[in-house]
Amino acid sequence: MNVVERLQHELRHNGYSMTNSRLLVCQTLAKHAPISMREVINRLGGKVDRASIYRIVTLFEELGIVRKIPTGWKYKLELSDKFTHHHHHAHCLSCRQIITLPEDRLLEQSIEKIAQQQEFAITDHHIELHGYCSDCQQKDS
Ligand SMILES: [Zn+2]
Ligand SMILES: [Zn+2]
């Protein structure tokens, strides 16, 4: 299923219809995530008005289409794992960028194993690394 089909499925499944604005917001996140609400608004450059974008993002969040990633007291947005492969993030404390980390099967298996040992049934997990990206490390030294 591609992004458009997936969006259509998620909307229909929850009793909502596909609209051009919803599609545009979804495609912007598919292309540029993780990005801030302001960046979504800028990227859409007036094609969808600001109030509609806020409404759509709120709806997407309720439906589990969008996930908010906290970055200090702000947040960035990305499509949920339903749309992308499961992954983790690294946050740079200096330039504030969020780096998407490659999937790691061993890490995922370890998490499963730890949960099993606690007889814990996991439905989801998030791992966020905090530190400095390679560019910012060079700037400081
Ligand atoms: Zn950085
Ligand atoms: Zn994971």
Side-chain angles (χ1 to χ4, degrees):
M1 233 189 265
N2 65 27
V3 171
V4 180
E5 288 164 348
R6 176 48 75 178
L7 177 64
Q8 200 143 28
H9 174 87
E10 293 300 327
L11 286 171
R12 272 214 198 121
H13 181 76
N14 290 286
Y16 291 89
S17 57
M18 177 73 116
T19 65
N20 196 40
S21 303
R22 285 172 185 163
L23 178 61
L24 285 171
V25 171
C26 183
Q27 284 175 328
T28 303
L29 289 168
K31 249 185 255 166
H32 305 287
I35 57 176
S36 65
M37 185 71 92
R38 180 193 293 259
E39 286 170 281
V40 175
I41 291 164
N42 289 344
R43 295 258 177 214
L44 285 170
K47 275 182 255 170
V48 184
D49 69 84
R50 180 185 288 254
S52 300
I53 294 172
Y54 272 95
R55 263 203 312 276
I56 290 166
V57 169
T58 304
L59 174 69
F60 280 5
E61 211 196 337
E62 282 167 16
L63 301 183
I65 293 171
V66 154
R67 191 161 89 78
K68 277 185 179 172
I69 311 162
T71 59
W73 49 278
K74 289 185 178 174
Y75 60 85
K76 293 203 179 192
L77 302 163
E78 72 169 8
L79 294 177
S80 70
D81 286 349
K82 287 175 188 170
F83 287 79
T84 58
H85 287 288
H86 173 75
H87 61 270
H88 304 129
H89 297 117
H91 298 242
C92 178
L93 299 170
S94 180
C95 68
R96 295 279 161 197
Q97 72 165 313
I98 298 177
I99 298 152
T100 299
L101 300 173
E103 280 182 87
D104 186 305
R105 188 172 284 247
L106 270 179
L107 174 60
E108 298 303 322
Q109 284 169 354
S110 300
I111 291 165
E112 287 288 341
K113 202 171 86 189
I114 293 164
Q116 269 169 22
Q117 285 163 357
Q118 303 295 321
E119 293 177 25
F120 188 86
I122 315 180
T123 55
D124 194 12
H125 72 256
H126 305 294
I127 296 174
E128 316 280 337
L129 308 184
H130 297 262
Y132 297 93
C133 73
S134 57
D135 286 350
C136 290
Q137 289 171 50
Q138 276 159 22
K139 263 180 249 160
D140 289 344
S141 59

